[in-house]
Amino acid sequence: MKFISTVNKRNAVSGAEAIVRGIAPDGGLYVPETFPRISAADLASMLDMDYPERAAFIIGKFLPELKSLGEMTEKAYARFDGDPAPVLQIDDGYYYLELWHGPTHAFKDIALTLLPYLLSASKKAVGDDSETVVLVATSGDTGKAALEGFKDVDGTGVTVFYPSDGVSPMQKLQMMTQEGGNVHVAAIRGNFDDAQTAVKAAFTDKTLIDALQKSGKAFSSANSINFGRLVPQIVYYFSAYLDILDAGRVQEGGKVNFVVPTGNFGNILAGYYAMRMGLPVGKLICASNRNNVLTEFFREGQYDARREFFKTQSPSMDILVSSNLERLLFEIAGRDDGLTAKRMAELKGNGAYTITDSERAALNELFWAGYADEDATAAAIADVFDEYEYVVDPHTAVAAAVYEQYKEETGDETPTVIVSTASPFKFPKSVLTALGERVPDDDFKAVYRLEDVSAMPAPESIVALERMEKRFADIIDKQDIGDYVRTLYGKKD
Ligand SMILES: *Cc1c(COP(=O)(O)O)cnc(C)c1O
């Protein structure tokens, strides 16, 4: 299977090459030349598979050149506590797909535990024998998930930069205490944009690239536009459907809706790809927080990033430019690469672009969009708990709130899965506040209080943070990132 760039279809590469490169040299994103079909017989054969087998089956449709996918998915998903993507039914036709039983308790673990294996195998497939140096700028969840994913994987090293005053105390502790022989973490003086800009500059710094090359190493990116981040996420849409089918809650070929708390549009795009491969999906419901640029896009056909940026209690969705939307845009433009390039240029230049009415109408056949502001998010946490004694985190609560709007507006009674993206114990203070509980100042006290209130045990690795050694306390200026990386990975004379 070939992969083509969204801004120039003639630039085609293998899947392995798309993963090694991350982004196309023309600045576009790699998309599969065609969508592999999963037939009814394929679905039936997947019923008896466990999650790692389902993953190897789906991923193998896109990346047939990678050998031993089964071993890779087995190893990656052994890091999860039980089933990596269990479906919980809380009411008739109402389900939660819990994607947070991995090492960092957010859904990014599903892709980032597997990516190191995909990357190593892809490098082998294209004949690249350099060691991999992954640099990540993070606003919280991605950095920790990348550290856990690449930790002690042979032939790789990972360094994460986070803004010294831009992540939550719990996220900071998670990174400062990271274990593993090939990991490094440093805080950058400044905000997330400063960290991201500095990392981007390092990626293209010629002298730095040369220094790495001399010691047999090369940079790779683990960010969410890499196809290697996207493809593992397609799997859980199939897996959730199969579990519901297996339980006899939906007839063969019957449809299921998914509600997805959305930021960079990677998660929900994977659901769209599953649909294109033949999964019987009714509606994909795109749930945004107060940063509701996507809601407006789906409803009015204009993407307009020229707006105020709000910090919310669902920080992983605080995004104004959703990078992966470019891949959907390419599809709805009838795979017109020139038009996609033009719109992306408009977004870069003016901060906005518009699609046609007929494109918008076609989108609305597949998607429905809504948003929840801060009050509605908190109210949803309380409502779900009052009705079902089930505690959701603020990101998942945004989806729960938008699902209620959807039902109200459409009356649709199709069975629906809320994609649950983080453990509530990652955000104990927001959740306690929403539940009207007393909120201790200390984060760990808040975790214990939430255990009492929810009657759920907190993940062990979160509780353990309180006693772990802080290994990484460096704080550096953004202009020093290059030297920092050179010291870590450059040739030692
Ligand atoms: C990253 C993240 C999201 C947003 O996912 P996208 O793929 O960026 O749309 C939602 N919830 C949580 C907890 C996340 O970490």
Side-chain angles (χ1 to χ4, degrees):
M1 151 129 5
K2 287 284 181 199
F3 284 72
I4 54 178
S5 161
T6 47
V7 302
N8 187 342
K9 286 194 280 199
R10 277 169 308 183
N11 293 339
V13 297
S14 70
E17 202 160 341
I19 288 174
V20 175
R21 288 189 184 182
I23 188 164
D26 58 25
L29 307 190
Y30 284 118
V31 298
E33 199 165 34
T34 56
F35 287 103
R37 289 295 293 183
I38 298 293
S39 65
D42 286 334
L43 274 182
S45 76
M46 286 173 76
L47 271 175
D48 290 331
M49 297 180 187
D50 64 13
Y51 192 85
E53 291 167 337
R54 288 173 179 177
F57 184 81
I58 295 290
I59 297 169
K61 298 277 177 190
F62 290 97
L63 301 166
E65 67 267 48
L66 299 194
K67 305 297 169 229
S68 342
L69 272 172
E71 272 169 49
M72 297 184 214
T73 56
E74 189 69 50
K75 274 195 226 159
Y77 296 131
R79 309 255 333 257
F80 282 64
D81 188 10
D83 184 348
V87 176
L88 182 78
Q89 178 172 26
I90 66 166
D91 203 346
D92 247 8
Y94 184 15
Y95 305 86
Y96 279 81
L97 169 60
E98 293 180 347
L99 299 178
W100 40 262
H101 296 284
T104 78
H105 313 291
F107 94 100
K108 291 182 177 69
D109 287 332
I110 298 261
L112 279 163
T113 51
L114 187 59
L115 183 67
Y117 298 102
L118 296 179
L119 198 53
S120 298
S122 296
K123 284 184 118 168
K124 211 173 264 169
V126 302
D128 176 345
D129 58 7
S130 62
E131 280 184 37
T132 300
V133 173
V134 174
L135 300 186
V136 181
T138 185
S139 58
D141 285 340
T142 303
K144 178 64 182 178
L147 288 163
E148 279 296 329
F150 283 90
K151 157 176 111 181
D152 293 331
V153 175
D154 285 345
T156 73
V158 55
T159 298
V160 169
F161 300 97
Y162 69 87
S164 59
D165 45 28
V167 300
S168 77
M170 210 53 120
Q171 288 173 323
K172 190 181 268 193
L173 258 185
Q174 275 191 316
M175 291 188 276
M176 291 176 88
T177 57
Q178 178 65 41
E179 296 179 324
N182 64 340
V183 302
H184 297 278
V185 177
I188 301 283
R189 280 187 197 91
N191 61 24
F192 173 62
D193 278 334
D194 296 325
Q196 183 152 46
T197 309
V199 166
K200 275 191 185 153
F203 268 121
T204 51
D205 178 338
K206 191 81 179 61
T207 57
L208 192 51
I209 292 170
D210 286 347
L212 250 60
Q213 205 171 23
K214 287 206 185 87
S215 52
K217 301 186 179 78
F219 283 133
S220 270
S221 155
N223 70 21
S224 82
I225 54 178
N226 190 316
F227 189 74
R229 283 276 306 269
L230 191 57
V231 69
Q233 296 174 3
I234 300 171
V235 178
Y236 50 73
Y237 287 93
F238 279 97
S239 185
Y241 185 88
L242 289 164
D243 287 353
I244 293 171
L245 185 66
D246 203 23
R249 308 275 176 199
V250 64
Q251 301 290 317
E252 219 184 288
K255 291 192 169 171
V256 168
N257 298 329
F258 289 89
V259 192
V260 189
T262 297
N264 213 16
F265 212 76
N267 192 348
I268 194 167
L269 183 79
Y272 169 79
Y273 276 23
M275 185 191 239
R276 291 293 302 270
M277 293 168 75
L279 188 71
V281 176
K283 277 275 184 336
L284 288 166
I285 299 163
C286 176
S288 299
N289 66 20
R290 191 179 174 201
N291 296 293
N292 59 359
V293 55
L294 285 166
T295 311
E296 191 179 277
F297 171 69
F298 281 107
R299 294 194 172 184
E300 293 163 29
Q302 189 189 46
Y303 194 96
D304 191 346
R306 298 165 300 186
R307 61 179 69 219
E308 193 180 341
F309 175 84
F310 299 109
K311 276 190 158 204
T312 73
Q313 59 195 307
S314 47
S316 300
M317 298 159 66
D318 291 344
I319 282 176
L320 292 183
V321 176
S322 300
S323 322
N324 268 301
L325 187 67
E326 178 173 340
R327 288 186 162 113
L328 178 65
L329 206 62
F330 177 72
E331 301 299 334
I332 57 141
R335 303 202 134 199
D336 183 334
D337 48 358
L339 185 54
T340 307
K342 181 171 159 280
R343 286 172 173 163
M344 287 303 107
E346 279 173 40
L347 180 62
K348 220 170 173 187
N350 310 328
Y353 62 84
T354 308
I355 59 173
T356 66
D357 285 344
S358 65
E359 285 173 327
R360 185 172 53 82
L363 266 187
N364 290 342
E365 293 288 312
L366 311 176
F367 290 86
W368 195 89
Y371 75 96
D373 64 16
E374 291 291 87
D375 286 345
T377 303
I381 293 174
D383 288 348
V384 173
F385 185 66
D386 288 347
E387 205 157 336
Y388 305 108
E389 290 184 15
Y390 181 61
V391 181
V392 296
D393 95 286
H395 302 79
T396 309
V398 168
V402 169
Y403 178 47
E404 292 305 322
Q405 296 168 16
Y406 173 75
K407 272 193 298 191
E408 187 119 319
E409 259 184 54
T410 64
D412 183 9
E413 288 182 4
T414 305
T416 297
V417 177
I418 309 261
V419 179
S420 176
T421 51
S423 159
F425 288 99
K426 280 196 105 167
F427 307 93
K429 288 184 177 177
S430 298
V431 173
L432 286 171
T433 306
L435 294 176
E437 296 287 336
R438 191 174 49 75
V439 183
D441 266 346
D442 178 80
D443 282 281
F444 291 100
K445 291 211 172 89
V447 167
Y448 300 136
R449 176 109 189 93
L450 185 57
E451 280 190 313
D452 288 344
V453 170
S454 67
M456 266 164 69
E460 268 167 44
S461 64
I462 288 184
V463 176
L465 287 175
E466 196 172 6
R467 301 182 311 271
M468 281 175 74
E469 180 204 351
K470 291 190 184 117
R471 297 180 63 202
F472 301 105
D474 288 348
I475 304 182
I476 64 174
D477 285 321
K478 58 185 173 185
Q479 63 270 23
D480 295 336
I481 277 195
D483 285 338
Y484 190 84
V485 172
R486 194 172 296 113
T487 310
L488 291 178
Y489 301 109
K491 195 165 176 68
K492 319 266 189 297
D493 343 87

